[in-house]
Amino acid sequence: DVKVTQSSRYLVKRTGEKVFLECVQDMDHENMFWYRQDPGLGLRLIYFSYDVKMKEKGDIPEGYSVSREKKERFSLILESASTNQTSMYLCASSFPEGSETQYFGPGTRLLVL
Amino acid sequence: AQSVTQPDIHITVSEGASLELRCNYSYGATPYLFWYVQSPGQGLQLLLKYFSGDTLVQGIKGFEAEFKRSQSSFNLRKPSVHWSDAAEYFCAVAEDNAGNMLTFGGGTRLMVKP
């Protein structure tokens, strides 16, 4: 079974803090994705990566950055957390073809005070 | 740009009743279409997907979906709902040759009455 793990289920941070969200997958997938999920808005893509050290902006990259130093690990970084970044963050991975399934981690619920 | 609409934000059905969740997409070519389910506190799990062939697709947990190109729809159905089906359901579309990027609908939250 594919396994996508995320470093934390719940996080509470203060405004202005630097926040790291980690994601690890064990299926040798080329693609990895970071989404945020907000009620009524579904999932919105923040960034994705199709290879080590490669990244592409998604629909809402502002205020975020990412890092992919190893194939299995994809990190989301909030350089200076703000209250409007309070959300559920979901990581996913897949093979690159359009018909391939994305596999999701359990999510990290982030609260920025 | 492609888009996905799930017109129903909330749906409540009685246990044992049939279910249909609506999904409409906007995309020029033949899309890859997915339905995911998210149980409370969990990540998303794939229910089924369509990318070619038979337009009626069978998935896990007794779900099926039908691709109707003329209506740009990919509605999810289940003949008899169980209490454990209470969850949020997301429809998504991917473009061909676009690195497997998904566009999601806003989701439909299903509640099941005993």
Side-chain angles (χ1 to χ4, degrees):
Chain A
D1 271 358
V2 176
K3 195 163 186 181
V4 181
T5 57
Q6 296 183 228
S7 51
S8 305
R9 293 300 300 271
Y10 301 95
L11 273 180
V12 181
K13 297 291 182 181
R14 297 209 173 270
T15 301
E17 280 193 77
K18 192 168 186 175
V19 182
F20 293 87
L21 303 182
E22 304 284 335
C23 176
V24 177
Q25 52 95 3
D26 66 358
M27 279 300 291
D28 203 34
H29 285 158
E30 288 86 351
N31 287 10
M32 296 189 75
F33 306 83
W34 275 107
Y35 297 90
R36 66 176 281 175
Q37 181 183 8
D38 300 289
L41 298 178
L43 279 71
R44 292 178 292 166
L45 182 65
I46 304 171
Y47 268 97
F48 74 99
S49 168
Y50 53 89
D51 202 351
V52 175
K53 297 192 185 295
M54 306 302 289
K55 61 184 180 183
E56 294 286 341
K57 292 180 179 179
D59 299 320
I60 52 165
E62 296 78 17
Y64 304 94
S65 61
V66 290
S67 172
R68 194 164 180 203
E69 297 296 319
K70 294 185 178 182
K71 190 175 186 180
E72 68 270 19
R73 187 179 297 269
F74 192 35
S75 302
L76 180 69
I77 303 156
L78 287 65
E79 295 288 345
S80 177
S82 63
T83 54
N84 63 13
Q85 293 178 310
T86 290
S87 187
M88 169 74 96
Y89 290 89
L90 291 165
C91 174
S93 71
S94 75
F95 293 115
E97 288 76 23
S99 60
E100 292 290 337
T101 299
Q102 286 191 19
Y103 294 89
F104 285 81
T108 295
R109 190 167 292 281
L110 173 66
L111 173 62
V112 182
L113 300 174
Chain B
Q2 57 194 7
S3 64
V4 180
T5 302
Q6 294 179 246
D8 304 305
I9 297 174
H10 294 100
I11 283 185
T12 300
V13 299
S14 298
E15 192 168 16
S18 63
L19 172 70
E20 183 170 32
L21 302 182
R22 295 183 291 165
C23 173
N24 294 96
Y25 66 89
S26 170
Y27 179 57
T30 299
Y32 300 123
L33 295 158
F34 303 79
W35 274 101
Y36 284 87
V37 60
Q38 185 180 35
S39 298
Q42 304 296 316
L44 274 69
Q45 180 185 20
L46 181 73
L47 282 175
L48 48 80
K49 64 181 180 181
Y50 169 82
F51 54 95
S52 67
D54 192 346
T55 56
L56 185 61
V57 181
Q58 302 297 321
I60 62 171
K61 305 185 180 187
F63 285 92
E64 66 177 26
E66 187 171 13
F67 170 55
K68 292 186 177 180
R69 184 190 302 276
S70 61
Q71 298 177 20
S72 297
S73 69
F74 188 57
N75 293 350
L76 181 71
R77 301 194 293 249
K78 187 170 184 178
S80 177
V81 170
H82 188 263
W83 63 267
S84 61
D85 293 324
E88 190 154 23
Y89 292 80
F90 293 95
C91 182
V93 61
E95 291 184 41
D96 194 7
N97 301 320
N100 190 228
M101 289 179 59
L102 289 175
T103 299
F104 284 86
T108 298
R109 184 168 295 280
L110 174 66
M111 298 180 67
V112 180
K113 292 189 299 186

